[in-house]
Amino acid sequence: MPVRIAFILAAALLSAAPAAAGPANDYPTAARADYVIACMASNGQSHIVMEKCACSIDAIADRITYDDYTAIETVKVMADLPGERAGLFRSSGWAKDLMDRFRQAQVAADRQCF
């Protein structure tokens, strides 16, 4: 059954047409807060870092729709799992493309905010 869920997720991601980035406010507050908390854990716990991390998620939201962002987060979590089933998320072209888009958006956000 878990394999079926992975293939359904993969099919849904593959069939989704690339959408233009939506408005910056289309990310739920909790998703933005999760990003900022993780960003601060990596870069420091100061107020200045919090502002830079908040700027970063705003810049990412300008470049990637929330639907794509959740797909990217799913790929990141699934790719870190051990075993053959998670290999779909480590080696598939569509998963690599999603991760490349996220890395490009994150680099652009870092240049803008940090």
Side-chain angles (χ1 to χ4, degrees), residues 7-29:
F7 286 115
I8 291 171
L9 174 63
L13 291 173
L14 287 173
S15 67
N25 294 327
D26 68 345
Y27 282 44
T29 302

Side-chain angles (χ1 to χ4, degrees), residues 5 13 18 25 30-31 33 36-37 41 45 47 50 57-58 65 69-70 76 81 87 89 93 97 99 101-102 114:
I5 293 170
L13 291 173
N25 294 327
V36 171
I37 291 167
Q45 300 294 323
H47 184 76
M50 182 204 56
I57 190 60
D58 289 345
T65 65
Y69 181 80
T70 58
K76 285 180 4 185
L81 294 175
F89 296 94
D97 289 345
M99 294 308 298
R101 282 186 56 216
F102 180 71
F114 284 87

Side-chain angles (χ1 to χ4, degrees), residues 27 31-32 35-36 52-62 69 109:
Y27 282 44
R32 288 176 186 267
Y35 181 92
V36 171
K52 290 179 178 186
C53 290
C55 172
S56 181
I57 190 60
D58 289 345
I60 289 169
D62 286 341
Y69 181 80

Side-chain angles (χ1 to χ4, degrees):
M1 188 66 156
V3 173
R4 180 183 285 181
I5 293 170
F7 286 115
I8 291 171
L9 174 63
L13 291 173
L14 287 173
S15 67
N25 294 327
D26 68 345
Y27 282 44
T29 302
R32 288 176 186 267
D34 285 343
Y35 181 92
V36 171
I37 291 167
C39 176
M40 289 178 69
S42 298
N43 296 295
Q45 300 294 323
S46 71
H47 184 76
I48 292 170
V49 171
M50 182 204 56
E51 289 178 353
K52 290 179 178 186
C53 290
C55 172
S56 181
I57 190 60
D58 289 345
I60 289 169
D62 286 341
R63 292 172 176 82
I64 297 177
T65 65
Y66 182 66
D67 287 342
D68 286 348
Y69 181 80
T70 58
I72 290 163
E73 289 296 309
T74 301
V75 168
K76 285 180 4 185
V77 169
M78 294 299 293
D80 287 341
L81 294 175
E84 194 174 309
R85 292 179 183 172
L88 170 71
F89 296 94
R90 287 190 292 271
S91 62
S92 296
W94 60 267
K96 289 179 181 179
D97 289 345
L98 278 174
M99 294 308 298
D100 286 346
R101 282 186 56 216
F102 180 71
R103 283 186 204 100
Q104 290 170 0
Q106 201 165 34
V107 166
D110 285 352
R111 286 186 186 143
Q112 178 181 335
C113 302
F114 284 87

